[in-house]
Amino acid sequence: MASLHVIDHPLIQHKISLMRDKNTGTKEFRELVSETAMLICYEATRDLPLKEIEMETPVCMAKTKIVSGHKLAFVPILRAGLGMIEGVTSLVPAAKIGHIGMFRDPETKESVKYYCKLPDDIAERDVILVDPMLATGNTAVSAITELKKLGVKNIKFMCIISSPEGAAAIIQNHPDVDIYCGTMDQGLNEDKYIVPGLGDAGDRIFGTK
Ligand code: URA
């Protein structure tokens, strides 16, 4: 059964408040997204398996631990997910990065994949899918379905702000996927924006509005 992790560390709450402010400019917003992604990723990687190794310190031989097990890939959902990549790869520099682009078909309202480029060995990797805003959950649910079709078995979803509707959609459709977010907001407005949210994350990261 999936679990929902709201990582409400004071630094994360503080940074999210700064991101919510409509007067926060592009440069600062982008830095905040990256820093918050790093802090949430710290928790999302808490269960990485370790193995014991032996090494020589300047003082003596020591048994000590390093990360082992499956290799990791981060997959940002285009385009806003790109803003989280610098932060998460600063924690796990050896991780590979794939990309998934999805858009909402205006007629069917379904999420349609328009781009997908993933590491060749994606089926052997644990994947952390990243998107700053989990709103309706349609895009996240479709992206997870795509990864599963390619054989990925262990998927986590990481966002900065979740709506209750989005989290419920993932839990209902993909009960094996753990969700990590920095805050759970009130819900969605009629335009499917998260309330209070922070507006359009992609526009604010890339300065397109
Ligand atoms: N995507 C965004 O960037 N913001 C929202 O509030 C919802 C979806």
Side-chain angles (χ1 to χ4, degrees), residues 133 135 192-194 198-202:
M133 308 298 275
K192 307 298 180 202
Y193 275 83
I194 298 179
L198 47 71
D200 187 302

Side-chain angles (χ1 to χ4, degrees), residues 1-5 127-129 134 140-141 143-145 147-148 152-158 166-167 169-180:
M1 183 64 191
S3 36
L4 170 64
H5 306 257
V127 171
I128 302 184
L129 190 61
L134 177 58
V141 166
I144 294 166
T145 303
L147 291 171
K148 286 185 175 174
V152 182
K153 282 168 205 70
N154 188 3
I155 303 170
K156 291 176 178 170
F157 182 84
M158 217 183 96
I170 293 185
I171 291 166
Q172 188 184 336
N173 291 282
H174 297 292
D176 54 316
V177 173
D178 282 358
I179 303 165
Y180 294 82

Side-chain angles (χ1 to χ4, degrees), residues 91-113:
L91 282 190
V92 192
K96 297 248 169 111
I97 301 170
H99 296 85
I100 291 190
M102 317 279 304
F103 74 91
R104 190 160 178 252
D105 185 308
E107 308 230 312
T108 64
K109 313 287 187 223
E110 298 287 318
S111 283
V112 181
K113 180 184 70 178

Side-chain angles (χ1 to χ4, degrees), residues 39-113:
L39 293 169
I40 298 173
C41 186
Y42 179 76
E43 284 301 323
T45 51
R46 181 174 281 284
D47 61 354
L48 284 181
L50 294 167
K51 73 174 177 196
E52 194 171 73
I53 58 163
E54 215 175 342
M55 68 164 59
E56 191 173 4
T57 78
V59 179
C60 64
M61 289 305 293
K63 286 191 170 37
T64 188
K65 289 178 181 168
I66 57 168
V67 170
S68 75
H70 282 167
K71 292 182 184 146
L72 202 58
F74 293 111
V75 177
I77 299 179
L78 303 179
R79 74 184 155 143
L82 290 174
M84 297 168 77
I85 286 300
E86 188 185 315
V88 296
T89 53
S90 69
L91 282 190
V92 192
K96 297 248 169 111
I97 301 170
H99 296 85
I100 291 190
M102 317 279 304
F103 74 91
R104 190 160 178 252
D105 185 308
E107 308 230 312
T108 64
K109 313 287 187 223
E110 298 287 318
S111 283
V112 181
K113 180 184 70 178

Side-chain angles (χ1 to χ4, degrees), residues 29 50 81 83 113 121 124 131 138 146-147 158 174 190 197 201:
F29 188 87
L50 294 167
K113 180 184 70 178
D121 59 353
E124 278 81 58
D131 195 353
N138 291 341
E146 290 296 329
L147 291 171
M158 217 183 96
H174 297 292
E190 59 280 8

